[in-house]
Amino acid sequence: MRMYDIILKKREGHELSKEEIEFFVDGFTRGHIPDYQASALLMAIFFKKMNEKETKDLTMSMVNSGEIIDLSSIEGIKVDKHSTGGVGDTTTLVLGPMVASLGVPVAKMSGRGLGHTGGTIDKLESIEGFNVNMDRDTFIKNVNDRKIVIGAQTGNLVPADKKLYALRDLTATVEDISLIASSIMSKKIASGADAIVLDIKLGEGAFMKTESEAKKLAEAMVSIGKMVNKKVVAVISDMDQPLGYAVGNALEVKEAIDTLKGIGPLDLTELCLTLGSYMVILAGKAKDKDEARQLLKESISSGRAFLKFKEFIAAQGGNIDFVMDCSKMHPAKYIIEVKSDREGFISKIHAEGVGLIAMKLGAGRITKESIIDLSVGVVLNKKRGDRVFKNDILAYIHASDLNIGNELAEELLNCFIINEKYLENVPLIYDIIR
Ligand code: URA
Ligand code: CA
């Protein structure tokens, strides 16, 4: 087989065989196929597309490029959740304990964040003593004992994706449905999940900018799941404003704790109830959406969800004093008010812009080696649809450096789009694909 022929075949719009796709993925991962040929094929795929079967074959070739985690010694159906990248998205910290309190095993291996804000692991490290490193046996034992573990990703999961994603990033071939779907699904399948709930973000700051694109991506991922015998549910949710109020590491942990106690932001709570319902159904712990939702609501109102969070933090060495009194958790040095310069209705809050501001404050990594500041970030005070008057506080900047904070306050003001007229609110959940 020659790489040249594979590129030519796709350039002419033909279907690639499983063997050809495997030849490419395996050869590229091992370094036998040069970047220029891989780039040419990616661009041909971008223009000529892949069908469902090719996309499934690409996904499984990528899964087989590295380690595959075996979670079969964990009792029950392992349901994983993945979000395509939101700003201020605290759902994992809420969903994990919430569904675990209903007996759904949560065996999560998370990465650290790059850009925007930190990843789930970074956020959890806001709690003093919290440990994300453990051996495989301890990991499995903890899930079986307590139903929830969140650990740092180890091992060599889907090396093909690491190389391909870096190349796509440099060759303008990121935004292809088959390439995105195979990239995400290969990582979930290699992580050992039996079933997957996807949260596909739709909006200006998201990969998918229109409802029809988001739907196509959802369908592509559900279809991969069907072909490899893993149940997949995809929820399409709004990202035309950050989720909840807080964007930043310790700030988001506090917001997650509030939500687990039943006093969190409405949109974050609603999204967690929706995603959580499908996790509970796929795990076989409820027969339908209404029952699942009821169980989740009870787990919050009875205090069981928050209890599970405390149990999970303590089991991984975290200091519970920080959870009981969040003011101990990395308070920022300066809190700066951002006030409205006009009157009107908020129609949009640029999510990507807010994420970038949090990153510039120090909440996210600019390079892999950056050290993040757990205390800083943005806390919104108003959300889309709210009426505001001149000098109303729109948001607070939590900063470690007063000059940087003040500079970014102006930038943050520009993230708020304020109209004279009230514009009809867009939905939080657009669609659910099963
Ligand atoms: N997230 C991924 O992991 N891969 C993509 O291709 C896009 C988003
Ligand atoms: Ca948030």
Side-chain angles (χ1 to χ4, degrees):
M1 222 178 278
R2 290 194 316 157
M3 189 58 196
Y4 176 91
D5 299 321
I6 296 173
I7 298 168
L8 178 64
K9 194 170 174 188
K10 188 41 80 183
R11 192 196 78 186
E12 296 306 308
H14 301 300
E15 178 184 317
L16 298 179
S17 70
K18 182 169 169 232
E19 291 70 31
E20 286 162 338
I21 292 170
E22 276 173 358
F23 175 86
F24 160 62
V25 172
D26 183 63
F28 179 62
T29 308
R30 289 171 193 273
H32 302 162
I33 293 168
D35 284 1
Y36 52 82
Q37 283 189 309
S39 305
L41 182 62
L42 288 171
M43 193 56 89
I45 291 171
F46 186 90
F47 281 115
K48 299 290 176 163
K49 306 297 164 201
M50 278 184 146
N51 62 24
E52 288 188 332
K53 182 182 170 296
E54 289 174 294
T55 307
K56 184 265 286 177
D57 289 337
L58 176 61
T59 306
M60 291 316 291
S61 299
M62 285 166 70
V63 170
N64 293 326
S65 72
E67 195 185 337
I68 301 168
I69 294 176
D70 178 8
L71 297 180
S72 57
S73 45
I74 295 172
E75 299 139 22
I77 301 170
K78 278 73 68 184
V79 188
D80 203 353
K81 170 243 153 197
H82 180 83
S83 155
T84 64
V87 172
D89 188 339
T90 322
T91 49
T92 298
L93 289 180
V94 181
L95 278 170
M98 214 160 77
V99 303
S101 78
L102 299 177
V104 178
V106 176
K108 194 139 185 84
M109 266 160 277
S110 275
R112 291 182 189 278
L114 184 62
H116 287 357
T117 57
T120 299
I121 293 283
D122 301 305
K123 292 174 195 172
L124 283 167
E125 283 179 342
S126 303
I127 300 166
E128 187 190 74
F130 190 85
N131 172 33
V132 295
N133 302 309
M134 68 201 82
D135 60 47
R136 201 53 53 88
D137 290 347
T138 312
F139 183 89
I140 303 257
K141 182 174 183 316
N142 278 353
V143 188
N144 282 333
D145 288 351
R146 234 167 268 104
K147 296 295 169 201
I148 174 166
V149 178
I150 301 184
Q153 224 157 54
T154 54
N156 188 26
L157 239 54
V158 199
D161 180 63
K162 292 196 184 85
K163 281 193 80 176
L164 278 173
Y165 197 75
L167 194 60
R168 285 165 59 206
D169 213 17
L170 294 170
T171 55
T173 50
V174 169
E175 298 93 345
D176 175 77
I177 302 273
S178 292
L179 296 177
I180 296 176
S182 57
S183 163
I184 294 173
M185 289 297 288
S186 62
K187 285 176 280 196
K188 293 289 119 181
I189 294 168
S191 306
D194 299 316
I196 302 155
V197 175
L198 298 161
D199 178 16
I200 297 176
K201 301 294 190 187
L202 166 60
E204 213 175 61
F207 277 104
M208 297 295 122
K209 295 183 173 46
T210 67
E211 201 176 338
S212 80
E213 273 181 273
K215 223 168 168 162
K216 275 190 206 151
L217 178 62
E219 280 160 0
M221 292 202 272
V222 170
S223 150
I224 294 170
K226 211 172 273 173
M227 286 193 254
V228 301
N229 267 327
K230 301 212 185 263
K231 288 201 182 110
V232 177
V233 175
V235 172
I236 300 177
S237 74
D238 167 62
M239 222 343 108
D240 262 350
Q241 65 176 348
L243 193 61
Y245 291 98
V247 183
N249 297 286
L251 294 169
E252 286 185 43
V253 175
K254 290 176 204 169
E255 186 165 78
I257 290 173
D258 282 346
T259 309
L260 285 164
K261 288 179 174 169
I263 50 169
L266 287 178
D267 59 349
L268 177 61
T269 303
E270 177 56 33
L271 184 59
C272 288
L273 287 172
T274 304
L275 296 170
S277 295
Y278 289 104
M279 292 176 79
V280 171
I281 294 170
L282 291 180
K285 301 285 180 187
K287 62 179 185 310
D288 59 27
K289 216 168 69 179
D290 292 339
E291 189 191 353
R293 205 179 162 90
Q294 196 51 39
L295 289 170
L296 289 168
K297 282 185 156 175
E298 276 166 20
S299 111
I300 294 176
S301 61
S302 65
R304 278 201 293 156
F306 182 51
L307 192 67
K308 182 54 79 177
F309 181 77
K310 286 189 286 187
E311 200 190 318
F312 145 68
I313 296 297
Q316 291 189 228
N319 185 344
I320 287 300
D321 291 349
F322 279 61
V323 177
M324 301 310 284
D325 177 5
C326 288
S327 65
K328 289 186 177 151
M329 209 190 301
H330 299 275
K333 210 160 163 194
Y334 303 101
I335 297 178
I336 302 160
E337 294 175 348
V338 177
K339 292 182 179 174
S340 183
D341 57 357
R342 74 195 73 178
E343 185 184 335
F345 295 90
I346 298 174
S347 63
K348 193 178 265 197
I349 306 171
H350 290 302
E352 200 175 20
V354 176
L356 282 174
I357 289 167
M359 187 179 83
K360 289 182 201 164
L361 285 163
R365 290 188 181 80
I366 294 172
T367 70
K368 258 192 230 159
E369 287 72 32
S370 313
I371 292 170
I372 59 176
D373 185 339
L374 295 168
S375 72
V376 299
V378 172
V379 179
L380 305 176
N381 191 47
K382 301 282 180 189
K383 298 259 305 193
R384 200 180 44 209
D386 284 350
R387 165 135 216 216
V388 293
F389 296 95
K390 197 173 157 137
N391 287 327
D392 275 358
I393 298 171
L394 297 176
Y396 301 92
I397 282 197
H398 289 236
S400 290
D401 181 304
L402 194 56
N403 287 331
I404 294 177
N406 281 327
E407 261 173 48
L408 292 169
E410 266 181 52
E411 228 175 275
L412 186 55
L413 182 59
N414 293 330
C415 292
F416 282 82
I417 306 302
I418 299 175
N419 288 79
E420 275 177 30
K421 285 211 197 83
Y422 179 80
L423 300 177
E424 201 178 328
N425 225 341
V426 300
L428 173 68
I429 311 284
Y430 282 91
D431 208 347
I432 291 159
I433 317 281
R434 319 189 51 170

